[in-house]
Amino acid sequence: MTIETTAPTFAAEPHHDGSALYVSNLDPALGDVVQVRVRIPESWDVVGVRARVRPDGEASYAEATRIASMSGVDWWEASLTVENPVHPYRFRIDLDGGSVRWLNASGLHRQDPRDVDDFRLVAGNPPPAWSAPAVLYQVFPDRFARSAAADAREAPAWAEPAEWGDPVDGDRQHTAAQFYGGDLAGVEERLDHIQGLGATLLYLTPVFPARSNHRYDALSFDHVDPLLGGDEALVSLVEAAHSRGLQVIGDLTTNHCGDAHEWFRAAYGNPGAPESEFFLWLDDAQTSYVSWLGVRSLPKFNWASAELRRRFIEGPDSVVARYLRPPFAFDGWRIDVANMTGRYRDQDLNTEVRRIIRRTMTEVNPDTLLLGEFTGDAAADFPGDAWHGAMTYANFTRPVWNWLRTPGSGAGGGLYMIVGETQDWNGAEAVASHREFAAAFPWRVRTRTMNALDTHDIPRFVNDARPGTVPVAVGLAMTMPGIPAVWAGDEFGLTGIDGEDSRTPLPWDELDAASDRIALYRRLAGLRAEHPALADGGLRWLHASAELIAFARESVDEVLVIVAARSAASAELGLGAAELVVAEGEISVAGGVVTTGGAAFGVWSLGSADAPEWDVG
């Protein structure tokens, strides 16, 4: 057993985050005055605290006042006027003797840190309230479930039909054509299963007609793929989901379409066509063109075209708007390849495009969610102006994989396209990486960014997991800030060495055999509904060692302490009169020391936060 009796220094450091415990107004308007607080241990010899802001890019300071001292902690408060849509700030802490410490979203610093990691207030574009406690369940329609109606549909010419129990074809020449025939009626028939897991948000990968099983090569946005049951099947599915209290978001690719798309076919080899301006041509004859990563079947859109914007993303008649309105009534969009959209050589229209998408969504239904895919370091594109959250892998997926993978395991190399090859990290390294990549997100973007152990694009986590660590990983997904994301099939224990292999048809005849794993997901997903601090509470790190990490999720009404270990370990966390909420594996507390007998995950409730009430007039 690894004995850790002294927590790392950050457990006793000053702390601030963007949650309601530290910020008086999470949805300010321009010109509003917002109070921000920082908690500092009384043992620090503090002589003054100031909040440094940068209105219009120029630094200035707001003096903070010590407003309370309780439980060994001093609370300091400063008033900030929100002068820009994204209003950055950090804290300067002056100590007795003349030394200075800076506190920003990446932590505590002796030297003046970079502006990129400042805390941020965001004015406008609030995420829908329903997304805070959401648990997302991702469905790939061709592989989820097949209704009886699918048997009457003839497979298209591009398809290579497969039986539901057939293995996924690993030959790259055939993977996109392998067709199992899952449909939207099949999804509707399994809503009991999805809801029973504790999911509240259904994310469907593309439903538009295409020439592949993944449908990211759309050939039209005018209707739902008849192979999935057509428009009527989508309407029926969304209505059934809504009747159960589930939200549903769709998937759009704004970077490219398929080379069979009606817009592209109209323009290919036809320079006079109105749709010619929708694409990036490399020759006057319009037969050579820019495509996604050089894949010719995926021609890239040219977002300098006003007509493309009108048809696709802008205004009430656009594709974006149409599927948010009844009868389809999607509750939002996940945008595929959001990081590449509008970018080609010296052209960068990404910011403009994402803001148009969100403006259109707000005009149709402001109570909708917008997620953008950005596979690497996403923060620069996510200041809160459009995307509510990111589908990214740098700040959660990679650290968790690297900490909980079997040492030297090889399947994780399949992450290379998304997050780089996995490595063997200890817990302190995993926490440090998470803090570094999450720091530059505004707090409310962090709380809507997906916590995905895996998705349809990468290997399944279970392939590389150390023995006993699946509950640890699922527990972290459910309790860290962000939207927990369950990739359909994880609850069955499905494996997959890469993204294609992970798209195995779900084995519905094995529900009984998977009952323990399904119960695990139901148990841990239920924490989100039972404990609001996991939806919108702050995050304060308590401990990070090689084998064990611990953090607190704090709201006004409740403080939860979460402990995760990959092996037998022990740590002094000072837990006193704490109520055990859930324990997975061998984990216990005695005399303030948490001890695990192996891989384990536990949550304790400490009751309400010991913090001063807000006085905002």
Side-chain angles (χ1 to χ4, degrees), residues 102-156:
W102 295 93
L103 180 66
N104 67 1
S106 65
L108 197 67
H109 306 271
R110 293 176 60 89
Q111 297 175 320
D112 192 351
R114 297 178 62 201
D115 292 344
V116 67
D117 290 333
D118 281 354
F119 302 110
R120 289 169 172 81
L121 298 172
V122 180
N125 189 40
W130 57 258
S131 62
V135 175
L136 181 150
Y137 188 84
Q138 182 190 2
V139 163
F140 189 92
D142 185 60
R143 309 294 167 82
F144 184 73
R146 180 184 172 104
S147 74
D151 295 337
R153 299 182 191 122
E154 184 176 348

Side-chain angles (χ1 to χ4, degrees), residues 14-16 22 36-40 49 64 73-77 91 93 103:
H15 179 74
H16 172 86
Y22 298 92
V36 294
R37 290 175 175 172
V38 57
R39 55 175 286 160
I40 304 175
V49 176
V73 171
D74 291 334
W75 290 83
W76 295 73
E77 180 177 292
F91 292 98
I93 303 171
L103 180 66

